[in-house]
Amino acid sequence: MIVLKATQDKVLSALQAVAGIVERRHTLPILANVLIRKQGPQLELTTSDLEIQVRTTAELDGDAGNFSTTVGARKLIDILRSMPADQTVSLTANASKLTLQGGKSRFTLQTLPADDFPLVQEAADFGPAFAVPQKTLKSLINQVHFALAVHDIRYYLTGILFVAEGKTLTLVATDGHRLALAQATLEADMPKQEVILPRKTVLELMRLLKDGGKDGSDDQPIEMRFAGNQAKFTFSGMEFVTKLVEGKFPDYNRVIPKNHKFNVTLGRQPLLASLQRAAILTSEKFKAVRLSFEPGLLSIASSNAEQEEAKEEIEIDYGGDLIETGFNVTYLMDALQNMSQDMVSIDLNDSAASALITIPEQTGFKYVVMPMRI
């Protein structure tokens, strides 16, 4: 049976849409596979890691009739990538194998039964659906994802807090040393939700969500539904089901400093470039830089165990007291690199207080970074 017959780019695009969650090593070998289900002209591709499930449908020509199997997702993608984009490829089923053909090339792949594929058990009580523009959600994730904890026994810090209330959508990420918050105001009210999306889900959404294109024509909304411990997203022909992170996220409003005494607004790019140069001579372990704010001047200094030193100076519009404080330079650079605006604003109280970084023309973004002792 010919399962599909289409150009390489169409087949590869459909496979890549679902293969992002597939790990190369699994305790269950079948989780390295993609589930292929054919029902007439429509092909359904599904992947799972037991906590996240991604499914897409595509019209890829083939024989009429129904068929299902599973085959190694990464192997299939690697083979397709090696072929020309406009080449017609076919996938043919024969006994317990699939044969991929394109031009003079032929590959025979082992399959595992579709009935053995462990689909995620979906919740029976998903709440009401609501829609958010894909571009909006992707932008919010881009503004906070870098502050996620990577490995932390406080597992709730490894996910992004998703808060919907009224017309306001808020995303928050923190690793305990810094916190990033991004907000957007939507046109329609949303049902109140407060959930923690897992790190892997967040990164996969970043990869899959469209940013609307230059004319906004590709900005179909993403439809969301939440259950007690699951979320379901539907967008661009995709269905994405994920387990949620359980736990109590920190009260982010208490972390954000208020009533700062001093404010500096300066160019994002000059500040980032100075920090990148100073970072070269920081200690590998601590990555510390010292910032000195004095009237008209910001000095950035770093040193390391070899007694090497770097010093940068930036002219600033500042008339307050002398403030000397230290920060992890990586935390500062992460925030600046994930912005596109020309100017940033830094609010400070004293040498021992956290700094608040904001964007003058965008009130919905806040980034808090704790100081270091140097």
Side-chain angles (χ1 to χ4, degrees), residues 171-308:
L171 267 62
V172 187
T174 180
D175 62 6
H177 303 288
R178 51 176 169 172
L179 178 144
L181 177 149
Q183 278 182 336
T185 302
L186 305 179
E187 293 180 4
D189 281 347
M190 297 171 287
K192 187 172 181 179
Q193 303 285 347
E194 187 166 326
V195 299
I196 304 174
L197 300 176
R199 176 187 181 85
K200 189 172 179 180
T201 296
V202 168
L203 299 179
E204 195 60 16
L205 285 173
M206 278 179 67
R207 188 179 75 86
L208 293 172
L209 289 170
K210 306 281 193 300
D211 56 15
K214 290 184 179 178
D215 60 356
S217 60
D218 198 25
D219 196 19
Q220 295 178 337
I222 174 171
E223 188 180 273
M224 308 181 188
R225 297 179 72 192
F226 294 93
N229 65 342
Q230 268 187 355
K232 181 188 281 190
F233 305 107
T234 309
F235 58 99
S236 303
M238 307 276 297
E239 184 187 86
F240 193 108
V241 178
T242 177
K243 187 178 178 183
L244 297 171
V245 178
E246 296 180 17
K248 179 66 176 169
F249 202 85
D251 183 355
Y252 57 91
N253 285 311
R254 290 181 59 188
V255 176
I256 298 171
K258 297 171 182 67
N259 305 318
H260 282 92
K261 297 177 187 173
F262 308 108
N263 171 268
V264 181
T265 299
L266 69 164
R268 180 186 67 87
Q269 197 56 49
L271 176 58
L272 176 58
S274 292
L275 289 169
Q276 287 171 329
R277 289 191 291 268
I280 297 168
L281 295 187
T282 56
S283 161
E284 192 66 37
K285 188 175 181 181
F286 296 109
K287 290 289 180 185
V289 291
R290 179 177 292 279
L291 273 58
S292 299
F293 296 86
E294 55 187 290
L297 191 69
L298 166 61
S299 299
I300 302 169
S302 64
S303 60
N304 58 29
E306 287 77 40
Q307 297 185 329
E308 297 169 325

Side-chain angles (χ1 to χ4, degrees), residues 60-131:
L60 300 171
D61 292 339
D63 291 342
N66 299 341
F67 172 78
S68 60
T69 190
T70 78
V71 67
R74 297 288 180 190
K75 285 179 186 173
L76 205 51
I77 286 174
D78 289 346
I79 293 167
L80 286 165
R81 277 180 178 154
S82 69
M83 295 177 168
D86 58 351
Q87 185 171 79
T88 298
V89 298
S90 65
L91 201 60
T92 308
N94 185 11
S96 61
K97 290 184 169 62
L98 281 180
T99 301
L100 177 68
Q101 282 184 280
K104 302 284 187 182
S105 304
R106 180 187 176 98
F107 303 85
T108 302
L109 300 169
Q110 188 68 48
T111 62
L112 290 171
D115 290 344
D116 294 346
F117 193 82
L119 294 169
V120 169
Q121 187 69 40
E122 291 187 28
D125 55 346
F126 277 105
F130 62 97

